[in-house]
Amino acid sequence: MKRYKLKNIIIAAISVLPALILSSCSKSSTVQPLPTAISTAGVVTTIAGNGQTGSGNGTGTAASFYYPQGVAIDAAGNLFVADQGNNQIRKISTKGTVTTLAGTLVAGNTNVSATTIGVAALFNGPTGVAVDGTGNVYVADFGNNLVRKIAPTGVVTTLAGSGKTGSTNAAGTGASFNGPSGVAVDLTGNVYVADFNNNLIRQITPAGVVTTLAGSGKAGNINGTGTAASFNGPRSVAVDLAGNVYVADANNNLIREIMPGGVVTTFAGTGAAGNKSGAATAATFSYPSGVAVDGAGNVYIADANNNLIREISAGTVTSIAGSGYLILTSPFSAPVGVAADAAGNVYVANDYGNLIQKVTH
């Protein structure tokens, strides 16, 4: 059984969050052998969180989170967190001080304009977050089937989505999604969306026009161009300086790449579940959930069911931090989100651990 998937069922049962839709629990009668830990050299420290579920703001371990999912970093080094269980977007300053950027503990769908006074923005189980060069924060608002935008002024708007389940391509609220779980933004302001339940990768222009970048809509593992390709539960996306989009294709245990022309290839992984490192074509993953890329083109993976942070560089996969197996939960317990800074430091949303952590390697 995949622990990350089981967690989603528990959340849904307790707090009626939409995370259940992300994946389903599978059962097996096979007794798994005890694992052998993987040796990793990365140094893991806690940036924020006390390890308990909560919504407290504060500095470092004085703060608390409730199943943090996506994480992103801006040019100044501030971190943004999609705090799913709290229905909030949190901000962590370079000094480790945690504040609430937007959202309350109440699930909902409320935007906030510059003139609304005393009205709070509401989200519903946000799972993905990205930030552009001018400080706009984009949110994959999973439970609302929306992509939201938070301006530096605090104004919250709907960038795209009607709120209804669907896969319609159109402008703004004329478009529809089905469980958008990850977002990324390129240098020209295009936003890419991992549309989890639609098995699609969508693109939103700065004007809010939504198109399908890749995916047929049917679950599968086919490389090809545009809608000739297929995915199975794309969990998150990242985009490099050249406009290549990387996809954590969770249910396929693969990392996929989409070139600017819409050509989809397998970037790393065989499709089998495992924790093997080495050549990208022979490496294995287990429910990879987060993906990030640094300025040098190195790709980082939050390999959730392996409790590992992986690096893909020059066609080689290495494990830089973590245990390597589902039941070995230190230092990570279901890492699902990653971000990388210019110095190559990796920031991790440790979902079960309710922590935001940093890996230096």
Side-chain angles (χ1 to χ4, degrees):
M1 179 179 288
K2 292 184 176 181
R3 182 210 27 230
Y4 177 63
K5 295 184 177 185
L6 176 61
K7 183 273 293 184
N8 290 327
I9 292 176
I10 294 171
I11 294 175
I14 294 174
S15 55
V16 201
L17 287 174
L20 173 61
I21 307 172
L22 277 172
S23 51
S24 60
C25 183
S26 60
K27 295 183 179 180
S28 172
S29 60
T30 303
V31 177
Q32 299 296 320
L34 291 175
T36 301
I38 286 179
S39 178
T40 55
V43 177
V44 181
T45 56
T46 295
I47 298 295
N50 58 21
Q52 304 298 313
T53 59
S55 59
N57 289 322
T59 300
T61 56
S64 55
F65 300 88
Y66 190 2
Y67 296 133
Q69 296 273 314
V71 61
I73 188 167
D74 68 12
N78 300 296
L79 292 170
F80 298 88
V81 181
D83 195 3
Q84 185 190 50
N86 283 322
N87 299 304
Q88 293 178 332
I89 307 304
R90 315 284 291 279
K91 180 180 179 180
I92 309 174
S93 74
T94 56
K95 295 182 179 181
T97 301
V98 179
T99 56
T100 299
L101 179 67
T104 74
L105 302 182
V106 177
N109 174 15
T110 303
N111 289 322
V112 174
S113 72
T115 58
T116 53
I117 300 174
V119 177
L122 300 179
F123 300 86
N124 189 359
T127 56
V129 64
V131 58
D132 67 18
T134 59
N136 296 298
V137 177
Y138 302 89
V139 180
D141 195 359
F142 185 88
N144 281 325
N145 293 310
L146 299 174
V147 176
R148 314 280 290 279
K149 179 179 179 180
I150 309 171
T153 59
V155 172
V156 179
T157 56
T158 296
L159 179 66
S162 64
K164 296 180 180 179
T165 299
S167 59
T168 302
N169 289 321
T173 56
S176 57
F177 301 90
N178 189 359
S181 59
V183 284
V185 58
D186 68 17
L187 294 177
T188 60
N190 295 300
V191 176
Y192 301 90
V193 183
D195 197 358
F196 185 87
N197 288 321
N198 277 328
N199 297 304
L200 297 174
I201 305 303
R202 316 286 290 278
Q203 179 178 334
I204 311 173
T205 68
V209 177
V210 179
T211 56
T212 296
L213 178 66
S216 66
K218 295 180 180 179
N221 174 17
I222 298 173
N223 291 322
T225 301
T227 56
S230 59
F231 302 88
N232 190 358
R235 185 65 178 78
S236 64
V237 286
V239 58
D240 67 16
L241 297 177
N244 300 298
V245 177
Y246 301 90
V247 181
D249 194 3
N251 287 330
N252 277 328
N253 298 309
L254 294 174
I255 309 304
R256 315 286 289 280
E257 180 181 9
I258 310 172
M259 288 178 275
V263 177
V264 179
T265 59
T266 297
F267 188 68
T270 66
N275 61 20
K276 181 181 178 181
S277 292
T281 54
T284 54
F285 302 86
S286 184
Y287 204 75
S289 298
V291 59
V293 58
D294 65 19
N298 301 303
V299 176
Y300 301 93
I301 307 300
D303 197 2
N305 281 346
N306 279 324
N307 287 317
L308 283 175
I309 303 303
R310 320 285 292 275
E311 180 183 20
I312 309 171
S313 180
T316 300
V317 178
T318 56
S319 294
I320 61 174
S323 65
Y325 287 93
L326 186 66
I327 66 172
L328 301 179
T329 58
S330 179
F332 304 115
S333 185
V336 296
V338 283
D341 65 18
N345 298 303
V346 181
Y347 300 86
V348 181
N350 184 340
D351 187 33
Y352 261 22
N354 294 299
L355 298 172
I356 306 303
Q357 293 164 289
K358 177 181 178 180
V359 181
T360 55
H361 64 103

